Amino acid sequence: MIALLVFLAGGTGATLRFNVDRLISARLKGNMPIATFFINATGSFALGLLTGLIGIYTSTHANGSAPWPVESLPLVLGLGFLGGYTTFSTAMIEAARAQDAARRLILLVGQALICILCAGAGLLLFLP
């Protein structure tokens, strides 16, 4: 059952990514893939939020009193939905296609740093 939920969540995340990419790309024309950058940054932030939320939830229900099984949440939302939503493989292809070294560096290193910072920011919201 969990595998089916992960599959459905992944499809939902990929559909959202497609629509967000189309929306941003239609409004912002340029040489940099802003839509991919935005999708990966927001997905990383959401994964940080999810990680923090699960950490708080499991620590407050450590005695087994949780009203629902938390172990499936990272799989369905993290692996499924956010895995379908984010698109780091597309980011790598866009970096490989970049015309110059500066743009390639921004797309590779800049995007990785921004996504790490976004994930950390999402996680920090749940720290005491």
Side-chain angles (χ1 to χ4, degrees):
M1 182 62 165
I2 297 298
L4 178 61
L5 291 174
V6 170
F7 172 76
L8 292 172
T12 303
T15 301
L16 178 61
R17 171 180 24 110
F18 175 77
N19 288 319
V20 169
D21 185 272
R22 276 187 19 185
L23 181 72
I24 292 172
S25 296
R27 286 169 175 62
L28 299 173
K29 304 285 185 196
N31 296 338
M32 293 295 280
I34 301 299
T36 303
F37 226 98
F38 176 82
I39 288 166
N40 287 337
T42 56
S44 296
F45 180 76
L47 188 57
L49 284 175
L50 177 65
T51 303
L53 179 65
I54 290 169
I56 293 291
Y57 186 82
T58 55
S59 68
T60 57
H61 294 90
N63 61 359
S65 65
W68 45 270
V70 73
E71 60 272 357
S72 60
L73 193 61
L75 292 174
V76 175
L77 294 179
L79 180 65
F81 182 76
L82 293 173
Y85 176 69
T86 56
T87 178
F88 289 96
S89 58
T90 300
M92 296 303 107
I93 290 170
E94 290 169 346
R97 291 181 179 165
Q99 299 298 321
D100 56 49
R103 188 168 292 151
R104 196 171 299 117
L105 184 66
I106 291 170
L107 291 173
L108 290 173
V109 178
Q111 190 160 188
L113 290 174
I114 292 294
C115 290
I116 290 168
L117 290 173
C118 286
L123 183 60
L124 282 174
L125 291 177
F126 287 99
L127 290 180

